[in-house]
Amino acid sequence: MKVVIIGAGVAGLGIGWRLLQAGCAVTILERAQAGGGASWAAAGMLAVTAELEDAAEPERTLALRASALWPGFAAELEAASGRSLFLNAGGALLLAGDGAELAVMQARAEGELRIVDAADARAQVPLLGDNLGGLWSPHESHVDNRALGEALTIAFLKAGGLLYPNEAAVRIEERGGRASAVLTPYGRYDADAVLVAAGAWSSLLDQIPIVPVKGEVIALMPPTSAALPGPVVWGEHVYCVPRPHLGRLLVGATVEEAGFDTSPTVAARDHLRASAEKLMPSLRGWTLSDHWAGLRPKSPDGLPLLGPTATAGLFVAGGQYRNGILFTPAIAAEMADLILGKSQVIPAFDPRRFA
Ligand SMILES: Cc1cc2nc3c(=O)[nH]c(=O)nc-3n(C[C@H](O)[C@H](O)[C@H](O)COP(=O)(O)OP(=O)(O)OC[C@H]3O[C@@H](n4cnc5c(N)ncnc54)[C@H](O)[C@@H]3O)c2cc1C
């Protein structure tokens, strides 16, 4: 079976890798560089505690399945690519902003999730200033999403995939009501199945109802005497993610519907920095080492689109919004099975629900 995938983010690359393993011939067309897009801009959290508080049940189930797959997926991908993903299970601390938030957290505290007071919180993260305590999730993980994109690219190519960077798909051709080829300015790629995995740009190709949601992130570098926090810290409407192998702390992220604009702004930089300094006052002495923006792919109901479209042979994997890095192993496996006709679409994620 010949599959053409549009977009080399973690979704397109992960699904492509699994399809190659199943014996398909896979070509990925990428408008810019592989592993770019939101997959490059993200913070890499596998945030099953913080991001899923208000999630609908199907999304929670997908997230928990993905989370369970991550350790095995990372080991397999590291072996296949020879690259580390820096999967870090250092935990996450969610600090309460006020008594009401603390009460909500108390209601969530079960299993390994437990409430910590201010002193316990500071024992976990000595950089913290005054705080009300919050929720401690001891095994929550994060990964270097840029390393993930590179590792997936290497594994995809090693498994025999074809990848064309700087080659944008401009049209999907149909024959007899079926997607049959993808056209770019440079060529025509025949396919038995076409997968749109073009992230926030998916709507530009086939009226797939996904909108871009801009997010900005800054990176801070500590003075030589200061250590990075061990766990991920959430509070003051930001999160702080340590990257020990890079010696920096990511602080993110803004949320803004601003079209396809990805320019970093002074206002976002100052807001992120001020919020992080409220959480950890000594960050005032840290150096701003980077600042970027990316576009999250969001669907009208906030749930992913994973499966067939109304056009035979045309599939979409998109709308992962804030959790596309977390979802990677589950989407790779489940979309490959769907394209191969080995499984059924999950109704809540059926792209045809917007038809
Ligand atoms: C600031 C920020 C922080 C985030 N933090 C997290 C986090 O901590 N944890 C988490 O799980 N998720 C996070 N996310 C969300 C996550 O990054 C995305 O859900 C995920 O990366 C989407 O992957 P994707 O492969 O679908 O899209 P992308 O990574 O955007 O890839 C799509 C690719 O398609 C290409 N493309 C577009 N149009 C065409 C075309 N016509 N032809 C060819 N190629 C095309 C693009 O160039 C791009 O490379 C974050 C996102 C942002 C922006």
Side-chain angles (χ1 to χ4, degrees):
M1 182 177 189
K2 213 190 284 180
V3 183
V4 174
I5 298 178
I6 301 169
V10 291
L13 288 164
I15 298 162
W17 183 42
R18 288 300 187 217
L19 286 170
L20 288 167
Q21 290 173 326
C24 296
V26 185
T27 299
I28 301 186
L29 304 168
E30 166 53 49
R31 188 182 62 119
Q33 295 301 308
S39 301
W40 178 89
M45 291 176 294
L46 312 181
V48 281
T49 311
E51 290 284 27
L52 294 175
E53 189 184 344
D54 305 321
E57 205 42 51
E59 187 174 22
R60 183 183 301 278
T61 305
L62 176 67
L64 294 177
R65 199 158 57 235
S67 174
L69 288 173
W70 253 105
F73 177 79
E76 184 188 351
L77 183 55
E78 287 181 343
S81 65
R83 301 293 291 253
S84 174
L85 306 186
F86 300 96
L87 180 64
N88 180 325
L93 179 62
L94 283 58
L95 291 169
D98 54 30
E101 259 183 47
L102 192 58
V104 172
M105 289 175 173
Q106 273 157 347
R108 293 184 73 194
E110 59 172 9
E112 64 173 25
L113 295 184
R114 68 183 170 83
I115 293 293
V116 289
D117 63 17
D120 285 342
R122 211 172 286 118
Q124 294 290 354
V125 181
L127 293 172
L128 285 179
D130 290 341
N131 69 85
L132 298 172
L135 196 61
W136 170 236
S137 175
H139 297 118
E140 193 133 315
S141 305
H142 55 97
V143 67
D144 181 336
N145 43 290
R146 297 181 185 176
L148 170 64
E150 284 195 22
L152 280 170
T153 305
I154 294 168
F156 175 80
L157 292 171
K158 274 192 175 174
L162 292 176
L163 172 62
Y164 297 101
N166 302 312
E167 185 158 353
V170 291
R171 196 155 70 81
I172 298 162
E173 203 171 76
E174 291 178 27
R175 200 181 305 135
R178 200 185 160 80
S180 58
V182 179
L183 304 185
T184 78
Y186 308 108
R188 178 175 189 282
Y189 297 86
D190 291 325
D192 301 310
V194 174
L195 169 69
V196 179
W201 299 268
S202 297
S203 65
L204 301 179
L205 266 163
D206 200 57
Q207 298 178 356
I208 293 162
I210 288 177
V211 294
V213 180
K214 183 178 180 183
E216 297 191 41
V217 180
I218 60 170
L220 299 175
M221 259 172 51
T224 41
S225 55
L228 293 166
V232 172
V233 182
W234 292 73
E236 297 293 341
H237 309 290
V238 294
Y239 51 71
C240 302
V241 184
R243 285 274 188 272
H245 59 291
L246 300 176
R248 58 191 204 165
L249 180 69
L250 309 190
V251 182
T254 57
V255 179
E256 186 191 0
E257 292 206 14
F260 292 96
D261 171 36
T262 53
S263 31
T265 63
V266 172
R269 180 198 69 193
D270 291 349
H271 155 73
L272 292 168
R273 181 150 200 167
S275 304
E277 287 172 0
K278 260 198 205 168
L279 275 178
M280 297 180 252
S282 63
L283 295 185
R284 280 190 198 105
W286 294 31
T287 309
L288 178 79
S289 70
D290 211 346
H291 177 196
W292 63 87
L295 300 176
R296 308 172 184 91
K298 185 168 185 268
S299 73
D301 61 9
L303 294 176
L305 282 80
L306 302 172
T309 66
T311 304
L314 180 62
F315 296 81
V316 59
Q320 311 93 313
Y321 193 34
R322 301 162 74 116
N323 290 306
I325 305 298
L326 165 64
F327 293 155
T328 302
I331 287 183
E334 290 172 23
M335 280 302 302
D337 280 352
L338 269 168
I339 292 168
L340 293 167
K342 288 186 184 169
S343 68
Q344 298 290 316
V345 64
I346 294 170
F349 303 148
D350 191 334
R352 295 165 298 190
R353 69 191 184 275
F354 299 115

